[in-house]
Amino acid sequence: MQPHEFSQFLNQISSEALFVLDTSIPKEKYVPLDLSESNGDLKKVDVSSSEKLGTYISEHIKNHNALVAYGGYLEVRTIYQRSIHFNKQNTEARNIHLGIDLWSEAGSAVFAPLDGEVHSFKNNANYGDYGPTIILKHQIEDEAFYTLYGHLSLESMAKLKIGQTFKQGDCLGTLGDAKVNGDYPPHLHLQIIKDIQGFMGDYPGVCSQTDLEFYKANCPNPNLLLKL
């Protein structure tokens, strides 16, 4: 299946929006959030501080009378400059975000948007990394693909087993706080992955400009499912 065909397939899975956060939060309570390098407001914020970035995001949500901020697919971000995880010596910096972030409170429940089974899970504990991460495998008709949920709480993985099944709407876990989620304000990183490439409990969520075309094809916009 070609990338454009896969995107069409994802979009047609459901005519209704699929939810990964509390279904009682209406779509009008979701507000877009721009964390790209082109957002001039961020130049006044110390984005290397999870506390100060969290204050900026909380005020953005409050000022728009919203409950959740979302966005970030293919955003070029400066926030990753703080971590050697994305800026290894003699390699091109990784600063292009490959998923959608949903910013909400620590402890918020995360739900499976589709039927799936646990492919893998892992605590990616590098500074600036995902922290606790779960990957689900989905099989719809003849098409298999994966969804990744990053920045969860440690409790989300406590009793998890590979192969464990989740029905659409089942609680998958909860959002972690900055102590466990890679030192970010609480949020969910949701990413769709066509070819998991042998990764277990992890998959690149940020890429370099050189690799963008590959990852854009392999990790289409999660908003094809969320329809925000």
Side-chain angles (χ1 to χ4, degrees), residues 56-217:
Y56 172 80
I57 293 169
S58 296
E59 288 178 354
H60 179 79
I61 291 171
K62 184 179 174 184
N63 290 341
H64 289 83
N65 192 29
L67 293 172
V68 178
Y70 73 93
Y73 181 64
L74 301 188
E75 266 184 0
V76 180
R77 293 176 168 177
T78 58
I79 186 173
Y80 305 118
Q81 291 173 359
R82 66 186 186 143
S83 171
I84 59 169
H85 181 61
F86 303 103
N87 298 274
K88 292 178 180 167
Q89 198 168 8
N90 300 322
T91 61
E92 186 181 1
R94 295 191 294 133
N95 60 359
I96 303 172
H97 189 250
L98 297 170
I100 274 185
D101 286 333
L102 297 138
W103 304 85
S104 190
E105 295 179 6
S108 297
V110 176
F111 300 92
L114 296 163
D115 294 356
E117 67 174 47
V118 176
H119 168 267
S120 51
F121 56 96
K122 179 182 170 187
N123 185 10
N124 297 288
N126 294 308
Y127 176 61
D129 207 337
Y130 289 129
T133 308
I134 297 173
I135 298 176
L136 295 183
K137 180 179 181 180
H138 309 279
Q139 183 79 41
I140 298 179
E141 298 166 0
D142 295 331
E143 196 66 28
F145 64 97
Y146 305 83
T147 50
L148 179 149
Y149 308 81
H151 310 294
L152 301 175
S153 64
L154 287 168
E155 292 77 13
S156 303
M157 303 191 308
K159 296 180 180 177
L160 213 53
K161 293 183 174 63
I162 288 177
Q164 182 177 341
T165 58
F166 284 87
K167 289 291 186 186
Q168 183 181 40
D170 284 352
C171 184
L172 192 61
T174 55
L175 296 186
D177 60 19
K179 293 175 189 165
V180 301
N181 76 354
D183 190 41
Y184 293 99
H187 71 289
L188 175 70
H189 173 98
L190 173 66
Q191 187 167 330
I192 297 172
I193 304 162
K194 190 172 189 295
D195 177 4
I196 199 73
Q197 296 183 281
F199 280 87
M200 297 294 289
D202 191 15
Y203 191 83
V206 180
C207 76
S208 66
Q209 186 64 48
T210 298
D211 295 331
L212 177 58
E213 288 310 307
F214 168 79
Y215 283 111
K216 193 160 65 169

Side-chain angles (χ1 to χ4, degrees), residues 34-43 56 75-78:
D34 178 4
L35 293 182
S36 72
E37 63 180 7
S38 59
N39 180 355
D41 288 344
L42 285 180
K43 291 183 171 61
Y56 172 80
E75 266 184 0
V76 180
R77 293 176 168 177
T78 58

Side-chain angles (χ1 to χ4, degrees), residues 19-27 30 67-68 104 108-111:
F19 286 85
V20 288
L21 297 181
D22 190 341
T23 56
S24 70
I25 303 173
K27 279 170 81 171
Y30 284 72
L67 293 172
V68 178
S104 190
S108 297
V110 176
F111 300 92

